[in-house]
Structure formats: C-alpha cells, structure tokens
Amino acid sequence: MKFVNVLYGNQKHLGLLQSDDSVFLLSELGILARDMNDLICNFSKFSESLDKLDPRTQKSHKIPQEHFLAPIEEPLQDVICLGINFLDHAKESAKFKGQTLGERKFPVYFSKRVNCATAPYAEIPLHAEITSQLDYECELAVILGKEAYKIRANEAKDYIFGYTILNDISARDLQAKHQQFYRAKSLEGSTIMGPCIISRDEIAYPPKLNLKSYVNGELRQDSSTEYFIFDIGYVLEELSAGMRLKAGTIISMGTPSGVGMGFNPPRFLKDGDRVQCEIENIGYICNTISKFL
C-alpha cells in the first residue's frame, strides 16, 4: 500500500495511492485517523478496514499534484539522519572540506528539526539572506511502525512501517561555520517528504532500490540503497541499544555522491532551480527553489 496525505474539498485526508495515481480516501473506508502519525501508531486498529478494501467497488479520486502534502507533516520527534552513509559521498564530502578520507568505522548521526515537512511538489525557500550554498540530498527514509528498544539487526524488518523519499536540503556554509549539522539541516522548508509512504510489504528487505536526483532535468545522483555503508538493521540495532525509538520515528539513511558540493566548482542551488528526487517503487518528489518564500 502507498499511504498519502492530500487536500480534498479544502480538508486534509489520508488516502491510498493507486497505480493510476487516483486516491482512495481512508475516511470513506471508515478509517478516521487524525493524521499519519495516528494511523501508524494505531495501525492494528485500522488494518481490518484496510483488509476489506475492494478496489473494484470503492470510489477513487483524482487529486492534483499541488494538493499532495508531506505524508507526515509534523514528525513526533526530530528526524534522525545518517551522514556519509555512501562511500562515494564520503569521498566527495572529504574533498570539498579539504580533508583526507578515513575509514568509516562508525555511523555519523544527526537530527533535523522539522516544524512542518514540505509537500512533495511545493516550493523550497532559498534562504539567500543566510546561506549561499544550499544543496540537495536524495535519501531513503525509514518510518518505524512500533517502538524499538534493544532489538537485533535481524529483527529490524518487523519494526518498519514503510519507506518514503526525503530531500535533505543542506546549507553547506552553515555546516562549515558551526562545525556540525543541526542548524544547516533545519532551515524552514528544508525537509521534503513524499509523495507517499510505501508499506514495508511492498519492498523486498533489505531494500535495494535505485535512487536518483535531477536539477533542471540534469541527472546528478544515480545510485542504489544497496550501497549503504551501514544498513537499516545495523542502524536500528545500534540506535535502539541505548534509546527508545518510538512508533512514527523517521530515520533518513543518507545520500550518495552527486550533490552540489561534489562538483568542481560546486553547483549549489539558486532561485528557480527545479530539484527532483526519485526512488524506485516509491515515486518522485519535485520542488522549485524560490527566493520569495
């Protein structure tokens, strides 16, 4: 299933995205979850109604792209992100910083403040008054379906609700200035998610999905989630060893090479640029940079 959050009749609705891009509204199935967090955290209560869905008899709706919202607009906690989780990105990052690439013995974790996640086809603020090095990062995000605490890597699949696309917009100059990620990754509008959350049963585990990004139609990133340095099982075991990862937790698994800072000279985002991130089986998100937001 592909769960979406859309505007229909000037109201927010959860829905199921179909192969023809139409949407079944969950409210018309008698599923009255308040939002995606409520659906995820109480999924056992709603699953029976979903199992009874008959696409042949249920009415679906055509929803314009501009009415798609981020599947989870207000995460229950900060998004957990992995930095440098592809070897090729580790190399380009070290080169940009003028550093020597060392052995990747441990993951790099950081959090990303998200007041409201940006819709999959909305505009993104340029934030030109505080940064001149806005960059894109196409990533696979994992959403947990139940609390994970002291679990093993081989149990990880059982804790996953689904997956979505996340564009981890980053201000590289702020990252360098503060010598850490938090502010540079937490500017308003810098977390774009969508267009859906695909349920874990739709994706073979561990996921080996093609991942690409484009800027103004030019292919920039082209890799696969099979090249994670630290895979999902490793990450969930390590994080849950010392902290409770609650249902609804979002973990973004890092980006491959091809980001703007990796070019010589760097190619950072500017007003009017159109950034598209796509991941196999999930879909794509596409956003335009605007200096007027």
Side-chain angles (χ1 to χ4, degrees):
M1 295 182 179
K2 290 183 174 181
F3 297 94
V4 294
N5 181 25
V6 298
L7 285 175
Y8 180 75
N10 294 320
Q11 292 185 325
K12 295 179 182 180
H13 289 266
L14 299 183
L16 292 175
L17 184 64
Q18 303 303 293
S19 58
D20 63 355
D21 292 330
S22 65
V23 175
F24 292 128
L25 300 181
L26 296 193
S27 59
E28 295 180 351
L29 303 175
I31 298 173
L32 303 178
R34 295 187 306 275
D35 55 21
M36 195 70 74
N37 286 319
D38 185 28
L39 180 75
I40 293 169
C41 294
N42 299 286
F43 192 70
S44 59
K45 182 174 72 174
F46 302 118
S47 59
E48 185 175 346
S49 296
L50 286 169
D51 291 339
K52 293 178 180 178
L53 172 64
D54 185 351
R56 297 170 297 179
T57 60
Q58 186 66 38
K59 180 182 178 181
S60 64
H61 304 271
K62 288 291 187 180
I63 308 293
Q65 276 193 339
E66 60 268 24
H67 290 173
F68 276 70
L69 306 170
I72 300 176
E73 288 190 283
E74 298 182 19
L76 297 175
Q77 297 174 307
D78 283 3
V79 175
I80 299 172
C81 299
L82 273 80
I84 320 296
N85 199 32
F86 285 79
L87 182 58
D88 55 0
H89 179 54
K91 292 176 181 177
E92 70 178 0
S93 179
K95 183 178 180 181
F96 177 74
K97 297 173 185 176
Q99 299 174 348
T100 301
L101 179 65
E103 183 182 354
R104 307 302 305 172
K105 292 183 178 180
F106 304 103
V108 174
Y109 298 115
F110 60 91
S111 65
K112 188 175 177 79
R113 172 63 58 90
V114 185
N115 291 318
C116 185
T118 300
Y121 309 108
E123 292 185 329
I124 305 170
L126 180 61
H127 291 294
E129 69 282 4
I130 56 174
T131 179
S132 60
Q133 297 184 355
L134 205 67
D135 211 347
Y136 53 91
E137 295 188 4
C138 181
E139 305 190 3
L140 177 73
V142 180
I143 297 98
L144 300 191
K146 59 182 179 179
E147 184 178 287
Y149 186 53
K150 296 184 178 181
I151 71 167
R152 298 298 184 189
N154 60 9
E155 302 171 317
K157 179 183 177 182
D158 297 333
Y159 289 82
I160 296 170
F161 178 81
Y163 308 92
T164 193
I165 303 169
L166 190 147
N167 187 352
D168 175 23
I169 295 292
S170 308
R172 303 298 185 192
D173 42 4
L174 297 184
Q175 206 170 310
K177 176 181 177 180
H178 295 286
Q179 291 296 300
Q180 46 81 21
F181 298 105
Y182 192 69
R183 186 185 180 212
K185 302 277 190 173
S186 298
L187 301 180
E188 292 300 317
S190 66
T191 302
I192 306 100
M193 285 195 291
C196 64
I197 296 174
I198 188 168
S199 56
R200 71 180 185 198
D201 57 298
E202 298 280 343
I203 301 287
Y205 184 87
K208 297 180 180 180
L209 305 173
N210 295 329
L211 177 157
K212 297 180 180 180
S213 73
Y214 300 82
V215 177
N216 300 325
E218 177 190 7
L219 180 64
R220 294 284 184 88
Q221 295 178 283
D222 187 3
S223 189
S224 170
T225 59
E226 70 177 304
Y227 299 125
F228 289 148
I229 299 173
F230 302 99
D231 63 19
I232 294 169
Y234 181 101
V235 168
L236 291 188
E237 178 174 330
E238 182 169 75
L239 289 177
S240 73
M243 67 176 79
R244 294 185 186 275
L245 302 175
K246 295 184 177 182
T249 293
I250 302 168
I251 303 174
S252 200
M253 291 295 298
T255 202
S257 64
V259 298
M261 73 174 178
F263 290 88
N264 186 17
R267 301 171 69 180
F268 296 117
L269 297 172
K270 56 187 184 299
D271 183 45
D273 281 350
R274 192 170 178 83
V275 184
Q276 181 166 312
C277 299
E278 61 181 50
I279 298 181
E280 182 183 7
N281 294 344
I282 301 178
Y284 71 92
I285 58 179
C286 190
N287 308 87
T288 301
I289 308 299
S290 175
K291 65 181 179 182
F292 299 109
L293 295 180

